[in-house]
Amino acid sequence: MWTMQVSARGDYAVRAAVSLASTHPTTVSAQSLADGEGLPHKFLEAVLADLRRGGVVTSVRGADGGYRLARDPGEISVGAVLRAVDGPLAGVRGQRPEEVTYDGASAHLPDLWIAVRAAVRNVLDEVTLAQVATGRLPARVRRLVGSEGAWEPR
Amino acid sequence: MWTMQVSARGDYAVRAAVSLASTHPTTVSAQSLADGEGLPHKFLEAVLADLRRGGVVTSVRGADGGYRLARDPGEISVGAVLRAVDGPLAGVRGQRPEEVTYDGASAHLPDLWIAVRAAVRNVLDEVTLAQVATGRLPARVRRLVGSEGAWEPR
DNA sequence: ACCAATCCTACAAAACAAGTAGGAATACTG
DNA sequence: CAGTATTCCTACTTGTTTTGTAGGATTGGT
């Protein structure tokens, strides 16, 4: 149904991370994070575990424990969050764009896939959690948001 | 495993379309298309049926029948091909980026999703089958391909 | 009539996504 | 030291999607 899609996992992870950014450096429990963003609690726990393993978040166990960002919200990109829970940003048929090879007429196709990945990276790796939390996105990204037809379905 | 991925369907569709672009306007059977690109024949038939319904390709039935591009290879974008087989280019949790809404800290997140989609569109909708077939990609896209770290995994 | 092709329907196996369930380990608080 | 709120770990479920395959009906040129 979709050519490229951000999964529920990815969406939840970013929302949780942005939420943590907005209260940084307070420690917040998975439960209140789930309540605040309207996410399924147990599923979010699994997502937060990935974020911890990926070094995005640190956790505190025991009563009054919870999660907080491992670094400053201005130092963590949305791309880093997504990679922590869903792996590499962009792929083709289960492979990295630079790994696919074709011969014949489609020999130049990898260039296109590389370009798509670069375009995605230029957005997701350049936007920080702090920027999303405050709504102050970089000029390059704002330009994309405001560009002709950006809000139109196709 | 992947944040955003081009499916096997999508990959096959683009390869078939580029292949047809390189021999345009000859009519080519699904069988020789499959042989030429190394694709599973019956699966490719289903993909070509989608391309036909999407107006990308026209078919000729009967012996010596086959498929050819419905328009000039320079008039068909890769984005059009992908949309024909896999639906909208970019989504979030099964919805279009402009349809997702959040409240609280993530209120500005839709802007980011819109920007990602716009970035993807700027590549896929601006590159034609003719350009992929000849390897002469637009300057904007070539710049992405050659940009710092574009070929590096992350 | 023959034959090579598209076209259509149905099925199947595997992988993946999204979540649930239950409880063990941990650490703060009275 | 008991209670309690939390993370953490393993396993399971359930439904959907993806990636095909199988078989044959239909078409149309020679």
Side-chain angles (χ1 to χ4, degrees):
Chain A
M1 182 62 185
W2 300 88
T3 298
M4 310 183 89
Q5 189 176 196
V6 175
S7 68
R9 277 182 87 73
D11 182 50
Y12 294 171
V14 174
R15 285 160 72 183
V18 169
S19 190
L20 286 175
S22 73
T23 57
H24 191 72
T26 314
T27 296
V28 183
S29 75
Q31 185 67 69
S32 43
L33 222 36
D35 292 347
E37 290 281 336
L39 312 179
H41 165 233
K42 285 300 251 181
F43 191 32
L44 180 62
E45 263 191 17
V47 170
L48 286 166
D50 282 340
L51 290 180
R52 177 174 47 79
R53 285 181 217 109
V56 172
V57 132
T58 60
S59 63
V60 179
R61 303 187 68 165
D64 242 48
Y67 300 87
R68 97 178 66 121
L69 295 180
R71 285 163 286 146
D72 193 82
E75 302 296 317
I76 304 177
S77 73
V78 174
V81 172
L82 288 172
R83 269 189 279 254
V85 297
D86 273 336
L89 284 189
V92 178
R93 275 184 70 207
Q95 291 190 302
R96 291 175 168 279
E98 74 271 12
E99 289 170 349
V100 303
T101 58
Y102 309 100
D103 42 34
S106 302
H108 297 285
L109 200 43
D111 283 15
L112 181 60
W113 301 143
I114 289 286
V116 171
R117 179 175 69 178
V120 170
R121 284 178 173 179
N122 279 344
V123 175
L124 295 179
D125 283 340
E126 299 304 322
V127 173
T128 69
L129 297 178
Q131 287 166 350
V132 177
T134 62
R136 297 168 168 273
L137 301 176
R140 238 234 254 69
V141 174
R142 275 207 316 271
R143 221 172 299 130
L144 281 169
V145 174
S147 67
E148 177 72 18
W151 291 79
E152 303 300 324
R154 283 197 207 166
Chain B
M1 182 62 188
W2 300 87
T3 297
M4 310 184 88
Q5 190 176 196
V6 175
S7 67
R9 276 183 88 74
D11 182 51
Y12 294 172
V14 174
R15 284 159 72 182
V18 169
S19 190
L20 286 175
S22 73
T23 57
H24 192 73
T26 313
T27 296
V28 183
S29 75
Q31 186 66 69
S32 44
L33 223 36
D35 292 348
E37 290 281 338
L39 312 179
H41 164 235
K42 286 299 253 181
F43 192 33
L44 179 62
E45 263 191 18
V47 169
L48 286 166
D50 282 339
L51 290 180
R52 176 175 48 78
R53 284 181 219 111
V56 172
V57 133
T58 60
S59 63
V60 180
R61 303 188 65 165
D64 242 47
Y67 301 87
R68 97 179 66 124
L69 295 179
R71 284 163 287 147
D72 193 83
E75 303 296 317
I76 304 176
S77 71
V78 174
V81 172
L82 288 173
R83 270 188 280 255
V85 298
D86 273 336
L89 283 189
V92 177
R93 275 185 69 206
Q95 290 189 304
R96 291 176 167 279
E98 74 271 13
E99 289 170 347
V100 303
T101 58
Y102 309 100
D103 40 34
S106 303
H108 297 285
L109 200 43
D111 283 15
L112 181 60
W113 301 142
I114 289 286
V116 171
R117 179 175 70 177
V120 171
R121 284 177 172 178
N122 279 345
V123 175
L124 294 178
D125 283 340
E126 299 305 321
V127 173
T128 69
L129 297 178
Q131 288 165 349
V132 177
T134 61
R136 297 168 168 274
L137 301 176
R140 237 233 254 65
V141 174
R142 275 207 316 270
R143 221 171 298 129
L144 280 170
V145 175
S147 66
E148 178 71 19
W151 291 80
E152 303 300 323
R154 282 196 208 166

